[in-house]
Amino acid sequence: MDGKKFMEELKKEVSKAVVGKEEVIELLAVALLSRGHVLLEGVPGVAKTTIAKVFASAIGLSFSRIQLTPDLMPADIIGSVVYDQRNSEFKVRKGPIFANVVLADEINRATPKTQSALLEAMQEGQVTIEGSTYPLPKPFLVIATMNPIEYEGVYNLPEAQLDRFMMKIQIGYPDKDEELLLLKRKEKGEFNTVGSIVDAKEVLSLIEEAGKVRASEEILNYIYEISLRSRNNERILLGASPRASEHLLFASKALAFLRGRDYVIPDDVKEMAVHVLAHRIKIKAEYEIDGLNAEDLVREILDEVEVPK
């Protein structure tokens, strides 16, 4: 299956259970195929959890949901060693992190110590339990959710952890037609089952094919210039890291693959830039107070950087 057909079938299958949100589904597919992780931000009730669960079902991957709370410990996520009295031996009890798609629900409710338990998993694809390392299933995708309006009982994600997420996706309210369709489905009691269009083996093959997409020297320079502008902007305290440049490249390649191309064009980079860079940029306090936000700054940088011909 090629990338374009995969994307068409994925949207069609997901639409059985989720109304609208096609752009979100495409961005999740981009993250999956480029081995990245996603931060979903939106107010309660906009289907963040449903989207993650349905997405995993549609691509035939195992799914695990972790409800993060202040009293959750790292061992509750990665697992621990327990003593089996029946066999008089110690055994490893693997935690919910051992799944292909892991939903870390309300990640900012967990303490920094627990949040950090996700770092090794996200970066290395493995976890360490009592000194022993265990590989996680492949493919592996963490989808973390956050409520942007909560300030009490939450712990801000440090920049180092935000940088581990390839993309931050904003999920807003549906438009009138989408919400009315949702209400009609609920009123009729329609709960459609989502089938699997691929399996884990096929997803790994798609990931490999997406990695073969070519990015020219001009595209690489374009990505570098965008990141460089974020580091040299007087209104920005912390600009895009080299990892951000890598993620922008990988995301652009995956998007090109899903659009049916084996090469990256500047529009791929521009389309991914806000999602990949904005959450990594820290604006100076005096400009933030004036209402400047990172998304607008990234768009401004894109307007300034010369687009390769």
Side-chain angles (χ1 to χ4, degrees):
M1 183 185 299
D2 62 31
K4 192 172 183 180
K5 185 179 179 182
F6 166 72
M7 195 67 251
E8 289 171 353
E9 292 191 13
L10 178 61
K11 288 180 178 179
K12 183 179 178 181
E13 196 64 32
V14 169
S15 68
K16 293 178 181 178
V18 175
V19 177
K21 312 299 184 190
E22 287 196 356
E23 183 187 5
V24 176
I25 298 303
E26 184 176 56
L27 291 171
L28 287 176
V30 166
L32 176 72
L33 296 189
S34 48
R35 295 186 173 92
H37 305 286
V38 173
L39 189 60
L40 294 182
E41 186 174 76
V43 298
V46 290
K48 298 187 295 294
T49 301
T50 301
I51 289 169
K53 190 173 183 179
V54 169
F55 178 77
S57 296
I59 53 179
L61 300 180
S62 61
F63 175 79
S64 177
R65 178 173 181 254
I66 306 170
Q67 184 62 54
L68 292 157
T69 57
D71 61 346
L72 200 71
M73 299 299 291
D76 298 323
I77 294 176
I78 64 175
S80 58
V81 175
V82 296
Y83 183 69
D84 184 354
Q85 291 184 335
R86 181 178 298 176
N87 298 316
S88 300
E89 61 182 6
F90 287 96
K91 288 186 176 181
V92 173
R93 183 177 61 192
K94 293 182 178 179
I97 196 74
F98 285 87
N100 295 118
V101 179
V102 176
L103 175 65
D105 218 355
E106 296 185 286
I107 189 172
N108 55 334
R109 284 197 174 277
T111 62
K113 182 178 181 180
T114 303
Q115 289 176 10
S116 67
L118 291 167
L119 291 180
E120 182 185 11
M122 292 167 62
Q123 188 66 24
E124 307 295 339
Q126 63 184 32
V127 295
T128 302
I129 304 173
E130 297 292 333
S132 298
T133 301
Y134 300 88
L136 294 168
K138 292 183 179 181
F140 179 67
L141 170 67
V142 171
I143 302 174
T145 69
M146 266 177 38
N147 179 352
I149 62 172
E150 289 186 322
Y151 299 101
E152 294 184 10
V154 296
Y155 301 85
N156 291 330
L157 271 66
E159 281 71 23
Q161 188 164 342
L162 281 172
D163 200 49
R164 297 302 201 283
F165 287 98
M166 171 174 274
M167 281 188 280
K168 182 179 180 181
I169 305 172
Q170 304 281 352
I171 300 185
Y173 292 112
D175 61 29
K176 180 180 178 180
D177 291 339
E178 290 173 348
E179 192 158 354
L180 284 175
L181 177 57
L182 171 65
L183 292 173
K184 287 175 184 177
R185 285 186 178 183
K186 297 296 182 181
E187 194 275 331
K188 293 178 181 178
E190 293 182 3
F191 300 98
N192 297 321
T193 303
V194 175
S196 301
I197 61 168
V198 288
D199 57 24
K201 185 177 180 181
E202 290 173 296
V203 171
L204 287 172
S205 177
L206 288 167
I207 291 172
E208 187 176 341
E209 290 302 311
K212 295 177 182 177
V213 171
R214 292 176 288 108
S216 67
E217 191 75 25
E218 290 79 10
I219 291 293
L220 298 181
N221 282 323
Y222 184 48
I223 292 172
Y224 170 73
E225 286 297 328
I226 292 169
S227 295
L228 184 64
R229 288 289 180 100
S230 76
R231 299 166 196 164
N232 295 337
N233 193 300
E234 64 175 10
R235 294 166 293 176
I236 297 176
L237 182 65
L238 181 68
S241 67
R243 183 190 286 123
S245 300
E246 289 179 12
H247 282 178
L248 184 53
L249 169 63
F250 298 152
S252 300
K253 291 174 67 169
L255 182 65
F257 177 70
L258 293 173
R259 299 280 173 85
R261 281 180 276 103
D262 63 354
Y263 56 91
V264 177
I265 61 175
D267 282 349
D268 297 326
V269 179
K270 294 177 76 172
E271 198 166 335
M272 290 292 100
V274 173
H275 301 296
V276 174
L277 301 181
H279 66 286
R280 306 167 193 266
I281 289 175
K282 191 172 181 63
I283 300 171
K284 291 180 180 178
E286 58 267 33
Y287 296 102
E288 197 169 28
I289 291 171
D290 290 338
L292 185 66
N293 63 60
E295 289 82 3
D296 289 340
L297 259 179
V298 174
R299 294 187 185 99
E300 187 180 306
I301 290 170
L302 290 173
D303 290 338
E304 293 172 354
V305 177
E306 184 180 355
V307 179
K309 305 298 181 184

